[in-house]
Amino acid sequence: MIILFANQKGGVGKSTLAVLFSNFAVQKRNRKVKVFDMDFQQSLYNKYLNSDLLENEKLYEVELANIPGFKSIKKKVSLYPAQLTVIDLAGKMDDDNLIQVFKESELIICPFCYDEYSVTSTFEFCYVVKKVNPSSKIILIPNRVKSSVKYETLESVNQALGQFGELSSPVSDRIDFQRLTTSYTPETLVPILDPIFNKIFDDHIETESTWEAETI
């Protein structure tokens, strides 16, 4: 199964949530995971290298990739039907190779923030994805939500984005996110993220067809 963490807007927490999700998949759901970092900043891959330098136990492999390389990734992962393939996608929409990526990814997890620019970019991103692949499954995660801020347009934003996919519960802005690695998830984040990730697994990943593929 190929799972994208994607949004055309940068700085919404794609890489961070991709790491946390991958950690969760291995540690809590006992799944094999392979991660591909397609983001220009390579922050996920750098976390992986730093974790390796500290001689932490590897939960999964992280490999650098680019959008045109998706075709070869698809061929590789087809050999391992029980493996979850997580892709941290670059925040851009001006590459024709994205058409294949959106068409052939089984699940798209889209973090966003409630500021005006992020919401507009997220809306545009989801609109394009649905035009390319009307049957695509999109999970929208409100991220970096500040508890001290009153978001006056929150309900209308949720309603507008909800037409494209399923909205999760919000993830608050916390300093704990700076301490995570590809081998470690801070315990303080567990009660916030585990319910979101468990729901994604129960509703979209641990389906009957997935388990059938694992037993072939």
Side-chain angles (χ1 to χ4, degrees), residues 105-151:
S105 297
E106 288 93 331
L107 187 62
I108 300 173
I109 299 177
C110 180
F112 72 97
C113 301
Y114 279 117
D115 63 273
E116 183 178 355
Y117 184 48
S118 175
V119 169
T120 301
S121 296
T122 303
F123 189 93
E124 292 172 351
F125 171 80
C126 291
Y127 180 82
V128 170
V129 170
K130 284 294 185 180
K131 280 292 184 182
V132 170
N133 182 7
S135 63
S136 60
K137 296 178 181 178
I138 302 177
I139 309 295
L140 293 132
I141 301 182
N143 193 30
R144 296 180 175 170
V145 178
K146 299 182 185 299
S147 57
S148 60
V149 176
K150 182 180 179 181
Y151 298 94

Side-chain angles (χ1 to χ4, degrees), residues 3-22 39 43-44 86-93 102 107-126 129 137-145 157-158 161 164-172 177 193 196-197 200:
I3 303 169
L4 295 185
F5 280 77
N7 193 331
Q8 70 169 325
K9 174 70 172 66
V12 293
K14 295 191 304 292
S15 301
T16 297
L17 288 177
V19 170
L20 289 163
F21 178 85
S22 300
D39 200 342
S43 57
L44 198 160
V86 174
I87 296 178
D88 181 19
L89 195 64
K92 59 181 299 182
M93 295 296 285
F102 294 148
L107 187 62
I108 300 173
I109 299 177
C110 180
F112 72 97
C113 301
Y114 279 117
D115 63 273
E116 183 178 355
Y117 184 48
S118 175
V119 169
T120 301
S121 296
T122 303
F123 189 93
E124 292 172 351
F125 171 80
C126 291
V129 170
K137 296 178 181 178
I138 302 177
I139 309 295
L140 293 132
I141 301 182
N143 193 30
R144 296 180 175 170
V145 178
V157 167
N158 287 348
L161 291 177
F164 297 112
E166 173 187 326
L167 268 84
S168 78
S169 55
V171 177
S172 58
F177 286 106
L193 293 166
I196 296 173
F197 293 156
I200 291 174

